[in-house]
Amino acid sequence: MSIWQSRGLLIYCSCVAFALGAVFGSFLNCVAWRITHGESALRGRSHCPSCGHVLGPAELVPIFSWLFQRGRCKSCGVKIPARYPLTELVFAVLTLLCLLRFDLTWLCLRNWVFLGCLFVLTLTDLDDCIIPDGCHIVAVLAWLIGALLMRTPWQDMLRSLLAGLLFGGGILGVSLLMDRLLGRDSLGGGDIKLFAVCGLYLGFVGTLFAVMLACVLGLGFAALRKRMHPDGKKEFPFGPAIAAAAAFMLLFGDPLIQWYTSLF
């Protein structure tokens, strides 16, 4: 079945994907917050971080609950950051784009899981400058299970593995060299692992473009961070730039790669 079979099916599936994305965006935001605050990511009910009030069903509707409550906790009245509805909206859009790009396929589901991992590690890196190993593990498992379900030829799997090893190992070598030259850590271990995982999903050329795009985005994010924190005491996380570049290449990179390979 394809969502492009009829306009009605396309509209229905798009609405479902958007709603599902908003729900999972709320869940993934909760997972990221719990990771950075030392709580279990999968156990325990959602609660207000200020007063501990356990949220009821009416307070868990993505985007709309925040709007209806005027951005405040129903129990204690503390202001709820706009990050919550914004992250829900962002992942809803990502889910919709993933469906439109990959249709109702195993590839769509696999890449959606990868986008979810990128989403969580972006939030944790922004909050606490950490990229959880769990995100890498889930992404690798999703890639492996997806390859089995789609019966991917072993040659293609091998090329993806080699791309992951090449970029992970190569960037690790560059990082160690820069550490020695600068006398400080130049790139976190989580960033290096993330580049390796990108190799599995994007292949050699796709990951090469992702690396270049991540560097450009990283410079932009660093300039914005410097403007927001002029004292320079706030550590700069590179994970969000890598994640944004990987998501872009996953969803929109094929035309760019086709153009590049046509040059040879």
Side-chain angles (χ1 to χ4, degrees), residues 65-251:
S65 290
W66 187 87
L67 293 174
F68 291 151
Q69 294 172 204
R70 298 182 178 179
R72 295 190 177 276
C73 173
K74 186 177 179 180
S75 176
C76 65
V78 169
K79 188 175 181 180
I80 302 172
R83 155 180 167 161
Y84 290 90
L86 286 176
T87 51
E88 291 161 358
L89 180 61
V90 167
F91 199 70
V93 172
L94 285 175
T95 301
L96 176 59
L97 290 174
C98 188
L99 174 68
L100 296 176
R101 172 66 182 83
F102 301 105
D103 210 337
L104 291 172
T105 61
W106 288 118
L107 181 61
C108 178
L109 180 59
R110 185 203 75 172
N111 290 341
W112 183 61
V113 173
F114 182 46
L115 289 172
C117 294
L118 294 176
F119 189 73
V120 170
L121 68 87
T122 294
L123 296 177
T124 58
D125 209 18
L126 285 172
D127 282 346
D128 211 21
C129 289
I130 60 171
I131 296 180
D133 285 335
C135 291
H136 299 131
I137 294 171
V138 171
V140 171
L141 289 176
W143 175 82
L144 180 59
I145 294 172
L148 295 176
L149 290 173
M150 293 183 291
R151 299 181 180 179
T152 305
W154 68 267
Q155 298 94 330
D156 292 342
M157 292 181 65
L158 181 60
R159 278 193 288 268
S160 295
L161 285 169
L162 289 176
L165 290 173
L166 177 63
F167 279 97
I171 292 175
L172 174 60
V174 172
S175 176
L176 292 175
L177 177 61
M178 293 302 296
D179 290 350
R180 182 174 292 273
L181 293 176
L182 298 175
R184 57 181 175 82
D185 290 342
S186 58
L187 199 62
D191 299 329
I192 296 170
K193 296 173 189 175
L194 181 54
F195 277 123
V197 174
C198 287
L200 297 178
Y201 283 84
L202 304 176
F204 179 80
V205 178
T207 308
L208 180 61
F209 274 96
V211 171
M212 293 187 289
L213 180 57
C215 291
V216 174
L217 292 175
L219 291 174
F221 291 165
L224 180 62
R225 196 85 164 182
K226 184 67 175 178
R227 187 178 182 86
M228 294 174 63
H229 303 278
D231 56 6
K233 295 180 180 179
K234 188 70 174 178
E235 188 177 353
F236 167 67
F238 191 38
I242 304 172
F248 177 85
M249 290 305 300
L250 187 74
L251 296 171

Side-chain angles (χ1 to χ4, degrees), residues 45-47 53-61 65 69 74:
R45 296 183 60 183
S46 297
H47 58 83
H53 164 67
V54 177
L55 304 184
E59 299 169 275
L60 293 172
V61 180
S65 290
Q69 294 172 204
K74 186 177 179 180

